[in-house]
Amino acid sequence: ALESEFSGALVRPVRFTDEASLTALASEAGGRFGAVHHVFSPLGAWWAKGASLDQSPEEFRALYDVYVEAPWQLMRALAPALRA
């Protein structure tokens, strides 16, 4: 599906709260490419739920998890491959 649309790309769904999933992704990327040069992380369309001030604190925490913590976790896992 997506991998066929992006020739040569490694496309994998991961759970950013699952460190083992991220470690496996980093290992697969390192084994396949040696070094990682680009990371693309589409994280959804939170804004489709309406104005941010109309959202509950729980929705805001979910937003924070998706747009702040998830990319940090991804970069933390992939940093060694990015430095290669």
Side-chain angles (χ1 to χ4, degrees):
L2 278 178
E3 202 157 350
S4 65
E5 292 181 36
F6 298 97
S7 178
L10 175 63
V11 179
R12 297 289 180 269
V14 296
R15 291 201 178 278
F16 292 103
T17 56
D18 179 10
E19 193 167 340
S21 175
L22 292 168
T23 301
L25 173 69
S27 178
E28 184 178 0
R32 183 167 168 185
F33 303 114
V36 175
H37 300 285
H38 303 287
V39 176
F40 177 72
S41 178
L43 296 170
W46 180 82
W47 57 87
K49 294 182 179 182
S52 61
L53 294 178
D54 294 336
Q55 304 307 310
S56 69
E58 292 78 23
E59 285 289 339
F60 181 78
R61 284 185 206 96
L63 167 78
Y64 184 86
D65 289 347
V66 168
Y67 288 100
V68 177
E69 186 174 354
W72 177 79
Q73 292 281 22
L74 181 63
M75 294 311 300
R76 187 171 163 256
L78 291 173
L82 287 163
R83 294 178 185 146

